[in-house]
Amino acid sequence: MENIHRLNVVHRLRKRKLLIAINCVAALSIFFFGYDQGMMAGVNNAKDYYELMGFAHQDPITKDPIITNSILQGGIVSVYYLGTLIGALFGGWFGDKYGRIKSIALGAGWAVFGATLQCASQNHSWMICARLINGFGTGILNAIVPVWATETAEHTSRGQFVAIEFTLNIFGVAVAYWIEYGCSFYKGGDSKFVWRFPIAFQIFPLLCLFGMVWLFPESPRWLCKVGREEESKYILERLREDGVESTGKAEAEFQDIRNIVALERKNAKSQNYLYMLFGYQSGKLHTGRRVQLVIWLQIMQEWIGIAGVTIYSPTIFGIAGLKHQTVGWVAGLNQITYTLSTLVCVFTLDRIGRRWTLYWGSIVQGICLFLAGGLSRVSIDAKDA
């Protein structure tokens, strides 16, 4: 295939090996997002950081941070997610217009720029701008990387591959916690290194992602959508066939993609965010219902407080009565448990289905939150007494 560069791994790998290679590259992006989520938990507790940003000072007796401007502290954290939202909306448009590979490279490059600015921050205004820029790049990656991975995966193992990726997402959170826990011992925790190194560390997987993604195949679905059908067929054949005896899987999937693309072209007017959100003129496709279902599932996932637990777990454990020296490793241990729990989905999504996994996950989560709330109240009452 002349149109695909000779160094592209699609010429050397087939079937599961190619899928694993693609998902390993996708995992770098997912790992980075998890790391970036967990990173601020330790950074917020670094003495040099919160004094430089001006939202806290250290208690001379307990050595705990005393927050004097919680709005500024929360604003520095949350502006990243505003950037992520804007980046995700932009990334969806850019990915459809210029392809998945170019979008991933753009997101990685932009995130490197934002991470570099964060690492060099000298005041809270600088940090807020850097967080916004970093979030924009992350949003592009979050919008495109899972799409690229699922569009190349076989439908029978799609859930498993996505679950593995998001296990690595939580693994990234755990890595951030333990790196920051280790850094907290450097020069008694008072050095700039304690918070600047964890921020700089995220640049490494981003540079790897930027350099490697050019050597991987484009999404067959996007190629078909833009009229590059020969390339699409070739990549599908490498993904689905072993090269010895044709099973017809690649051809059947290619025809399915062509039919879907033809249907999308027929409804081209409704292919924008506003039309998708409300399902205007989508007919029997019920696009609005599907999009709203996905959006509200994600919103409810955040409403259970997982982002708060991830970012502020050292503070939460401090409220529970743990000493400043203890909260770091307890928070890290919590993230290891979090990582292991996501492995459940690797074995259930393609076997018992998405709904049953979601049902049972919600029940267990509800029980855990009920116990956490009750025990927190008991702890606060005990401290007041």
Side-chain angles (χ1 to χ4, degrees):
M1 177 55 62
E2 295 178 0
N3 293 333
I4 301 175
H5 197 279
R6 60 185 178 82
L7 295 179
N8 199 299
V9 298
V10 76
H11 298 308
R12 294 166 179 78
L13 302 176
R14 277 186 177 272
K15 293 195 74 176
R16 193 165 184 82
K17 288 183 180 179
L18 181 55
L19 282 173
I20 290 172
I22 289 171
N23 278 272
C24 284
V25 173
L28 285 171
S29 172
I30 303 298
F31 171 85
F32 152 72
F33 180 53
Y35 183 88
D36 217 28
Q37 281 181 300
M39 177 192 71
M40 288 306 292
V43 169
N44 275 331
N45 282 308
K47 179 177 179 291
D48 182 77
Y49 171 77
Y50 57 68
E51 289 183 349
L52 182 66
M53 295 300 133
F55 62 76
H57 64 270
Q58 190 179 65
D59 188 302
I61 300 172
T62 65
K63 305 298 183 183
D64 291 334
I66 298 174
I67 308 301
T68 55
N69 191 339
S70 59
I71 294 176
L72 177 58
Q73 182 194 29
I76 292 173
V77 172
S78 59
V79 74
Y80 168 80
Y81 293 98
L82 174 62
T84 302
L85 173 63
I86 298 169
L89 292 172
F90 173 80
W93 169 81
F94 190 90
D96 271 350
K97 190 171 181 65
Y98 297 104
R100 315 315 188 207
I101 299 299
K102 289 179 181 177
S103 300
I104 293 169
L106 174 66
W110 197 280
V112 167
F113 177 54
T116 304
L117 288 176
Q118 280 188 84
C119 186
S121 292
Q122 299 299 319
N123 53 59
H124 63 261
S125 299
W126 186 330
M127 190 65 172
I128 288 170
C129 291
R131 294 277 293 166
L132 186 66
I133 292 168
N134 192 221
F136 185 83
T138 306
I140 296 173
L141 293 174
N142 285 356
I144 297 301
V145 170
V147 172
W148 178 57
T150 53
E151 286 179 344
T152 53
E154 202 166 359
H155 72 279
T156 54
S157 59
R158 197 165 288 156
Q160 184 183 48
F161 276 117
V162 173
I164 291 172
E165 284 180 9
F166 281 92
T167 297
L168 289 167
N169 173 263
I170 309 307
F171 177 67
V173 177
V175 169
Y177 271 77
W178 285 105
I179 285 178
E180 288 169 335
Y181 178 66
C183 288
S184 68
F185 293 100
Y186 182 73
K187 292 187 177 180
D190 295 337
S191 170
K192 290 176 169 47
F193 179 85
V194 173
W195 66 275
R196 292 195 190 273
F197 174 76
I199 292 176
F201 184 82
Q202 65 185 297
I203 296 173
F204 174 69
L206 286 169
L207 288 175
C208 291
L209 177 63
F210 181 84
M212 293 171 65
V213 74
W214 300 104
L215 304 176
F216 281 78
E218 185 55 86
S219 160
R221 191 181 186 284
W222 181 81
L223 288 170
C224 191
K225 185 176 181 179
V226 296
R228 293 158 62 179
E229 294 189 353
E230 287 303 313
E231 292 173 63
S232 177
K233 285 181 74 172
Y234 176 75
I235 292 170
L236 278 172
E237 191 271 330
R238 301 291 296 187
L239 285 165
R240 306 291 181 254
E241 308 288 354
D242 57 16
V244 179
E245 185 178 350
S246 177
T247 61
K249 281 185 178 180
E251 182 61 30
E253 187 170 342
F254 175 72
Q255 293 303 326
D256 285 343
I257 291 172
R258 284 189 69 185
N259 293 336
I260 292 169
V261 168
L263 183 62
E264 287 179 349
R265 283 174 181 160
K266 186 179 177 182
N267 297 283
K269 246 176 39 173
S270 61
Q271 299 302 309
N272 63 61
Y273 287 129
L274 194 61
Y275 278 61
M276 288 167 63
L277 186 62
F278 298 104
Y280 182 65
Q281 292 183 342
S282 65
K284 293 182 180 180
L285 290 175
H286 302 292
T287 305
R289 186 180 67 186
R290 296 179 183 187
V291 171
Q292 290 283 349
L293 178 63
V294 172
I295 288 173
W296 284 101
L297 274 173
Q298 293 292 328
I299 289 173
M300 286 188 286
Q301 176 193 338
E302 292 302 316
W303 278 352
I304 66 173
I306 191 59
V309 172
T310 300
I311 296 168
Y312 295 108
S313 59
T315 304
I316 294 168
F317 288 126
I319 293 171
L322 297 179
K323 294 180 180 178
H324 180 66
Q325 296 83 357
T326 308
V327 295
W329 71 264
V330 173
L333 189 63
N334 176 63
Q335 298 308 321
I336 291 175
T337 307
Y338 188 11
T339 303
L340 294 175
S341 67
T342 59
L343 287 172
V344 173
C345 297
V346 175
F347 304 102
T348 58
L349 283 180
D350 289 324
R351 293 184 181 181
I352 67 172
R354 279 64 159 166
R355 289 187 180 183
W356 280 106
T357 302
L358 184 63
Y359 291 154
W360 284 108
S362 300
I363 291 169
V364 174
Q365 182 73 60
I367 293 170
C368 290
L369 288 173
F370 179 79
L371 290 173
L375 292 172
S376 296
R377 183 71 261 172
V378 170
S379 175
I380 292 170
D381 291 344
K383 287 177 74 174
D384 292 342

